Amino acid sequence: DGNEETTVEDEVIPATGHKYTSNFTWAEDYTATVTLTCENDATHVVENVEAAVTSEVTKEPTTMVAGERTYTATYVHEGKTYTDTKIVAIPVLEKGLYKLPSDYNFVKKSEETTYNGKPHMIKIQGIKPMEISSVIYVIKDQNGNEIMRVGENDETGVIDAGTYTIVPEFTLSTIGAQNYSGVEETSATLVIGKAIYNLPDTVTFEGYTGVYDGQEHTVSVSGLPEGITATYSNNTRKDAGEQTATATFILSDSLKVNYSSIEPASKTAKLSISKKDITIRANNAGSKYGEDIVKPSCTITGGIDTDNLNEKVSVTTTATKTSKVGYYPITVTVPSEVTKNYNVTSNTGATYTITKADVNMDGVSFTDRTEEYNKSAHTLAIAGNLPAGVDKVTYTYNSKTQDTPFSFTEAGRYTVTANFVTGENYNIVTSKTATLVIERTTKLAISNAPTAVRYGESVDYSGMTITATKTDGTNETPYTVGINDVTMSQVNTSSIGTQTVTVTYKDATATFSITVENYIKSITAEYTGTEVYTNGSQVDTSKISVTARYANNSTAPLTTGVTFSNTTVNTANEVHYVTVSYPGVDNVTVRVNVRSANISYTSSTASGTLGGQEFGEAITVTWDTNETATIRNSTTGETATANSGVSLTTRGKYTLTIGSKSVDFELYWDSEEYLYARSGNVLTFSHVDKIGSVVLYDWNTDTETTIGLPAEGDFTYTLQPGDYDITIMTKKGIPYTDAVVVE
């Protein structure tokens, strides 16, 4: 077949074995695991087995450079060792504190001194080592508060007293900074004690010497330095005498910082006041018997006004308000509160004089009096109680004197004197005189008395004057008497005629006459005619009968004094009344017969009586009374007036009013212009209530249409395109035609 022959032989290929690659994983605690993967067969894996870890410092750290620690992970598999390393940094070494050498330090850790106003300081002594570049001293108070900083070369320090801690702050040199973080702390204590403040000799405390002047006196220190004050004790004196004042010196708060006390602590001075000389002279005084004693006074010369010595010095007398008329001594007593400050010289010998008292007669009166004669006895005596000092009163009339009042009965004028008897301690009282007048009314006169009164009415006395005349035996005096003060006889106003009236007042009488008159109380009226009046005519008043009714109910015809009004007839109310008047009585009215107008018309179509009718084009309306009529066209809103008649040509609905009578009618025109108008394809029909029908014929469609109109008002109709004949038939039977083409 052309095929080659192939010989097959077996060949043994040796195994390749495992060849692993390692992958180490490090944990945060520097432990490690390893995974081995065969390069010849990826399915052969030794996964996450723990490796052995060792470490060593491979680089030592210094204070300047960090060191290194190397960790080595080792795993042995099938006789082959797999390793991995991890290097971790070691931090630089922490620097220590530099300790000052003994030859560079505080010589004294504590120092005490006394305040002298100069700065104090403690500094480190010795040669500064190379590790230190510079130093600043921080000074703190006893509360640990920093109060100042002092450089190592500064010539300053603290001044005020107190306890201070001095703490040096060091700056390391470059060499020192390489090996040290700082310098060990050290400090020193400075104590500045308070000093004693010595007052200068310029400080003085002078005393006071003077004469009493009523003022308070003090002394004060002069020349005190700033910051030093003084307090005083026993340093005020007003009264005469002597005392020692003390000034105690006090440091201000600012000085207390540095001083503990003052030397000397206090000083003294004298206050010395001598008495003032004065003179006291008693003043004479006096009062009337029975009056309160006037407090005696004195005149003081040389005293101090503010001491009010007159109020303190006692001035007295033995006189009292009941002492008899005479002279009494005045005594001056000076109290110790005055003599303690004054040397007093007194001048006595003044007297207090009691003089006779005046009698107060204000409560006693003896006045004139007038009495009306009444046949009884009348007396004239004093009124009120006799005051102290008046022992009794006597009366004198016609040179006769007695202890009791005199009595008088008859009309006349009687003048009496009242005499007052006083005691030994009172001044004489002036007598009083009074007059008693006894009057008697003897005449009575009447003027302006009423002469008439109407039947049944009350008499009017308001205008009447009653004059009475009285006499005291010598003089006559007329005076007016009120109507209510007299007695009068009564008038009988129910009896017609003249009567006499008697007026009585006290002992006098008078008379007058008065007539009781009848009068018209009311009227009645009646129309006796038969006439019927129309509007504007005059009523015949001669046919009105008037009757008078009198106060006693009698009657009689009244023909004079009567007046008539409203005699022109007005038929607006369909009735008419005439007013009848007579003076003094109420008016009455009389009814007369009237009638309203008869209304008629003439027009182009007919004549007759109006009433809701229709008329064409023109009308004349008349009435048979001469009254004003109101004609209103409600269609146009116009109103007019006329008398007797009116002609109308304006179309519309009318109302004619005459008085209370009114009629309605309408005036219209049968014309195309009035009923129908056309604008383009719009037809307008006016007063459709006058149109019977509207018919449209369209030639194009040979159709006829009847337009339905409303009951009243205007109406518009819009034509569609066409060729129309329009036929309008009025309610009066009058036809109108029109032709229109709408494109």
Side-chain angles (χ1 to χ4, degrees):
D1 296 327
N3 293 330
E4 291 183 358
E5 182 175 308
T6 300
T7 300
V8 178
E9 294 181 353
D10 292 330
E11 183 179 357
V12 177
I13 299 173
T16 58
H18 295 291
K19 183 180 180 181
Y20 292 98
T21 59
S22 62
N23 182 21
F24 286 83
T25 301
W26 290 89
E28 291 182 359
D29 59 355
Y30 304 116
T31 60
T33 59
V34 62
T35 297
L36 301 179
T37 302
C38 180
E39 294 179 354
N40 298 323
D41 186 354
T43 62
H44 289 268
V45 178
V46 179
E47 189 173 8
N48 291 332
V49 294
E50 185 176 353
V53 178
T54 61
S55 68
E56 64 175 335
V57 176
T58 55
K59 182 179 179 181
E60 292 291 340
T62 68
T63 59
M64 300 291 291
V65 181
E68 291 181 354
R69 179 179 289 277
T70 302
Y71 290 87
T72 302
T74 303
Y75 181 73
V76 178
H77 182 70
E78 294 180 354
K80 185 175 180 180
T81 299
Y82 299 89
T83 62
D84 190 27
T85 60
K86 182 177 181 64
I87 298 174
V88 177
I90 300 173
V92 295
L93 295 178
E94 183 177 350
K95 297 178 182 180
L97 295 175
Y98 178 75
K99 184 175 182 180
L100 294 177
S102 60
D103 58 354
Y104 182 72
N105 211 321
F106 286 111
V107 176
K108 293 181 180 180
K109 285 286 187 174
S110 177
E111 183 177 324
E112 293 186 3
T113 186
T114 300
Y115 170 79
N116 59 3
K118 298 179 180 180
H120 297 273
M121 186 64 189
I122 303 176
K123 293 184 178 180
I124 293 176
Q125 304 298 317
I127 299 174
K128 186 167 35 181
M130 60 186 300
E131 286 83 1
I132 295 176
S133 172
S134 62
V135 60
I136 291 178
Y137 297 92
V138 179
I139 302 176
K140 299 180 180 180
D141 61 17
Q142 58 188 8
N143 295 319
N145 300 314
E146 180 180 321
I147 60 172
M148 67 183 300
R149 287 174 172 256
V150 177
E152 59 183 322
N153 297 318
D154 293 342
E155 297 295 331
T156 187
V158 290
I159 298 174
D160 292 337
T163 300
Y164 304 93
T165 301
I166 300 174
V167 180
E169 287 187 356
F170 298 97
T171 300
L172 293 172
S173 64
T174 302
I175 296 175
Q178 291 178 355
N179 299 302
Y180 301 98
S181 60
V183 179
E184 286 185 350
E185 287 187 359
T186 184
S187 64
T189 301
L190 174 62
V191 178
I192 301 176
K194 292 183 179 182
I196 295 174
Y197 191 98
N198 294 309
L199 279 178
D201 294 338
T202 56
V203 177
T204 60
F205 189 32
E206 301 293 338
Y208 170 80
T209 299
V211 178
Y212 173 77
D213 58 3
Q215 304 296 319
E216 287 189 343
H217 294 277
T218 61
V219 288
S220 61
V221 176
S222 61
L224 282 174
E226 183 178 357
I228 304 297
T229 58
T231 61
Y232 300 93
S233 61
N234 200 29
N235 189 32
T236 300
R237 188 166 189 86
K238 176 181 179 182
D239 294 334
E242 185 176 279
Q243 66 187 55
T244 299
T246 301
T248 301
F249 303 108
I250 299 174
L251 292 166
S252 66
D253 290 341
S254 61
L255 290 180
K256 287 180 180 179
V257 172
N258 296 310
Y259 295 96
S260 60
S261 62
I262 300 176
E263 189 63 37
S266 64
K267 289 189 175 186
T268 62
K270 295 288 185 180
L271 283 138
S272 180
I273 299 175
S274 60
K275 291 184 179 182
K276 182 175 176 59
D277 295 332
I278 62 171
T279 299
I280 301 177
R281 180 178 58 83
N283 300 320
N284 291 328
S287 60
K288 291 184 178 182
Y289 172 81
E291 293 181 353
D292 289 336
I293 295 298
V294 176
K295 179 178 174 53
S297 64
C298 64
T299 300
I300 301 175
T301 304
I304 304 300
D305 292 342
T306 55
D307 282 352
N308 298 315
L309 295 180
N310 289 89
E311 297 179 3
K312 298 175 181 177
V313 173
S314 174
V315 185
T316 59
T317 180
T318 58
T320 66
K321 67 184 297 184
T322 60
S323 296
K324 292 183 178 182
V325 173
Y327 301 97
Y328 300 88
I330 293 177
T331 303
V332 175
T333 303
V334 182
S336 59
E337 65 174 318
V338 174
T339 58
K340 70 179 180 180
N341 291 316
Y342 293 95
N343 294 315
V344 179
T345 299
S346 297
N347 181 16
T348 59
T351 58
Y352 192 96
T353 304
I354 301 293
T355 59
K356 287 187 177 183
D358 294 325
V359 178
N360 183 0
M361 297 296 289
D362 292 344
V364 178
S365 62
F366 191 47
T367 57
D368 296 340
R369 192 169 82 253
T370 299
E371 296 288 348
E372 185 72 24
Y373 171 80
N374 59 4
K375 300 180 182 180
S376 299
H378 299 281
T379 60
L380 194 60
I382 66 168
N385 297 322
L386 291 175
V390 178
D391 295 337
K392 69 175 184 177
V393 61
T394 63
Y395 299 92
T396 300
Y397 173 70
N398 277 348
S399 301
K400 181 181 178 181
T401 301
Q402 61 186 39
D403 291 341
T404 58
F406 291 91
S407 295
F408 307 97
T409 302
E410 298 301 323
R413 302 178 67 83
Y414 307 96
T415 300
V416 179
T417 300
N419 310 295
F420 303 97
V421 180
T422 58
E424 63 176 339
N425 291 310
Y426 294 90
N427 291 318
I428 296 174
V429 175
T430 302
S431 299
K432 296 178 180 290
T433 299
T435 299
L436 171 64
V437 178
I438 300 177
E439 298 177 329
R440 185 173 185 178
T441 299
T442 57
K443 297 177 183 179
L444 196 65
I446 307 296
S447 60
N448 299 322
T451 59
V453 62
R454 300 211 301 180
Y455 179 90
E457 294 184 356
S458 299
V459 180
D460 182 8
Y461 295 106
S462 60
M464 187 174 73
T465 301
I466 304 172
T467 304
T469 301
K470 59 186 176 180
T471 179
D472 60 5
T474 302
N475 303 314
E476 287 189 347
T477 303
Y479 62 98
T480 301
V481 179
I483 190 69
N484 296 323
D485 297 327
V486 302
T487 301
M488 287 194 300
S489 59
Q490 296 298 314
V491 177
N492 184 2
T493 59
S494 297
S495 176
I496 298 173
T498 301
Q499 302 176 28
T500 298
V501 179
T502 300
V503 180
T504 302
Y505 179 69
K506 295 184 179 179
D507 297 330
T509 60
T511 62
F512 66 91
S513 297
I514 187 169
T515 301
V516 179
E517 300 174 340
N518 206 0
Y519 68 96
I520 296 174
K521 192 172 184 179
S522 64
I523 60 173
T524 59
E526 180 182 6
Y527 185 76
T528 60
T530 60
E531 290 83 0
V532 177
Y533 296 95
T534 60
N535 188 66
S537 59
Q538 294 293 317
V539 176
D540 184 0
T541 59
S542 66
K543 295 182 179 181
I544 299 177
S545 174
V546 181
T547 301
R549 178 173 294 279
Y550 290 87
N552 63 352
N553 283 327
S554 62
T555 61
L558 187 61
T559 58
T560 60
V562 179
T563 58
F564 303 95
S565 58
N566 198 32
T567 58
T568 300
V569 175
N570 182 355
T571 62
N573 296 320
E574 299 183 351
V575 294
H576 188 80
Y577 292 91
V578 176
T579 301
V580 183
S581 303
Y582 183 79
V585 299
D586 294 337
N587 296 340
V588 296
T589 58
V590 176
R591 178 174 176 173
V592 297
N593 297 321
V594 299
R595 69 175 178 82
S596 60
N598 292 319
I599 304 171
S600 60
Y601 70 90
T602 58
S603 71
S604 61
T605 58
S607 64
T609 302
L610 285 169
Q613 301 184 52
E614 296 178 339
F615 305 95
E617 298 191 3
I619 185 173
T620 299
V621 182
T622 59
W623 50 94
D624 62 355
T625 60
N626 187 28
E627 295 182 83
T628 299
T630 301
I631 306 97
R632 173 174 172 76
N633 186 332
S634 60
T635 302
T636 64
E638 297 176 345
T639 299
T641 59
N643 293 324
S644 299
V646 63
S647 295
L648 304 171
T649 58
T650 302
R651 63 180 180 270
K653 293 182 178 181
Y654 287 88
T655 299
L656 176 67
T657 302
I658 303 175
S660 62
K661 185 174 184 178
S662 63
V663 293
D664 297 319
F665 59 93
E666 184 175 3
L667 186 66
Y668 68 92
W669 295 346
D670 279 337
S671 67
E672 179 182 357
E673 179 185 1
Y674 174 59
L675 297 174
Y676 162 71
R678 174 169 56 85
S679 176
N681 65 332
V682 178
L683 307 180
T684 301
F685 301 95
S686 302
H687 297 276
V688 297
D689 54 339
K690 301 296 184 289
I691 301 175
S693 62
V694 178
V695 178
L696 302 177
Y697 178 74
D698 188 348
W699 288 93
N700 295 335
T701 60
D702 192 25
T703 58
E704 189 177 82
T705 302
T706 299
I707 299 176
L709 299 176
E712 59 182 10
D714 295 343
F715 179 73
T716 59
Y717 185 83
T718 303
L719 295 173
Q720 301 300 319
D723 186 0
Y724 296 95
D725 283 338
I726 303 173
T727 301
I728 303 172
M729 182 67 68
T730 70
K731 288 184 178 180
K732 294 291 185 179
I734 302 174
Y736 298 99
T737 61
D738 191 14
V740 62
V741 175
V742 180
E743 297 296 336

